[in-house]
Amino acid sequence: MRRALLAASLLAAATPGAAQSLADYDYENLAFRGVGLDAGYLWANKIRDTHQYGVRLDLGYLGPGVRIVPTLTYWSSEFTRAELDRLAERMNQQAGTVFIRGSDLEPIQWSDLSLSIDGIFVWNTPLRVLTFIGVGGGLHALNGQGSAVDDTFVEDLLDSITAGVNALAGLEFEPIHRFRFYAEGRYTALNSIQYLTARGGLQIMFYPDEGALGAVVAPPPLRGEDR
C-alpha cells in the first residue's frame, strides 16, 4: 500500500499545477469517501471481447488533487481461435506429436479477478465535471479451465497470480448531491495478457468531516458547496 501511495505522490509531483513538494503528500490524510459499482466492455489480445464488472472505493486525497482509488474487477471469456492454435502448437512440441489442433481444445475459459490501487490526478472544469488521469498497479488471479486442458501443463500456465500495471483517464459528474456518475477508459498490461476497457458506473459519496484538510487536499467541489 505504501509503495502505491509513493507512486501516486511521484505522479502528482510531476504534474503541472500540483504541489511543489512531496512533503504535501501524506497517507495519513486518506479517509473513506465513497463506493461505486460499474460495468464495462473489454478488448484483449488473447480472448474474445467480453464484459467486465467492478467495485471501487474512494479513499480521498493523498495530496493536492491526488486521489487514491482501490478497484476490484472481474471478467471471464473464451480464448480466440488464434490463441487456441498457439496453445495446440505448444502442446504438440511438449508431447512430440502433431495431432492436436486448436479446434480440439475449444472451448477454454479464462477469468481474472484483480485488485488494483490507482493514484489519479483530479481537476475540475467550468462545467462542474471532474476529469482525471492516473496510473496504478495490482494483483491478478487468473484461472483457466477446459475439458481438453484440465490437469495438464497448459492449465498450470493459465492459472497464476501475477502483477499488472494500469493507465487510465475519465470523468465524473454529480447531478444529485452525493451521487456521482463516472466513465473511464483503462489500459491494463500483464505478462500474459493486455487489454483495454471502457466502463461506467455510479458512486455514492460519504463526505467525512475534513476540516481544514479538505480545503488543502481536495479540488474544487463539483457543485460548489462550501466544505
Side-chain angles (χ1 to χ4, degrees), residues 168-217:
L168 62 147
L171 56 86
E172 297 180 8
F173 175 64
E174 188 174 285
I176 304 174
H177 183 50
R178 296 196 178 185
F179 289 87
R180 294 187 181 181
F181 291 102
Y182 60 92
E184 176 186 292
R186 174 186 296 254
Y187 175 76
T188 302
L190 291 71
N191 287 334
S192 53
I193 188 173
Q194 296 81 47
Y195 53 87
L196 177 69
T197 55
R199 65 194 194 197
L202 174 65
Q203 179 164 305
I204 302 176
M205 301 299 297
F206 307 98
Y207 298 125
D209 182 13
E210 295 174 325
L213 181 61
V216 173
V217 302

Side-chain angles (χ1 to χ4, degrees), residues 88-100:
E89 181 180 357
R90 189 166 183 178
M91 293 179 72
N92 286 325
Q93 293 174 350
Q94 184 80 6
T97 69
V98 291
F99 303 117
I100 302 175

Side-chain angles (χ1 to χ4, degrees), residues 63-109:
V66 177
R67 184 195 296 167
I68 301 301
V69 183
T71 304
L72 182 70
T73 59
Y74 175 80
W75 58 258
S76 178
S77 184
E78 295 180 358
F79 275 109
T80 62
R81 176 56 63 86
E83 187 59 27
L84 290 174
D85 290 339
R86 283 192 287 269
L87 285 174
E89 181 180 357
R90 189 166 183 178
M91 293 179 72
N92 286 325
Q93 293 174 350
Q94 184 80 6
T97 69
V98 291
F99 303 117
I100 302 175
R101 298 172 298 180
S103 58
D104 298 329
L105 304 178
E106 195 171 18
I108 296 178
Q109 197 79 16

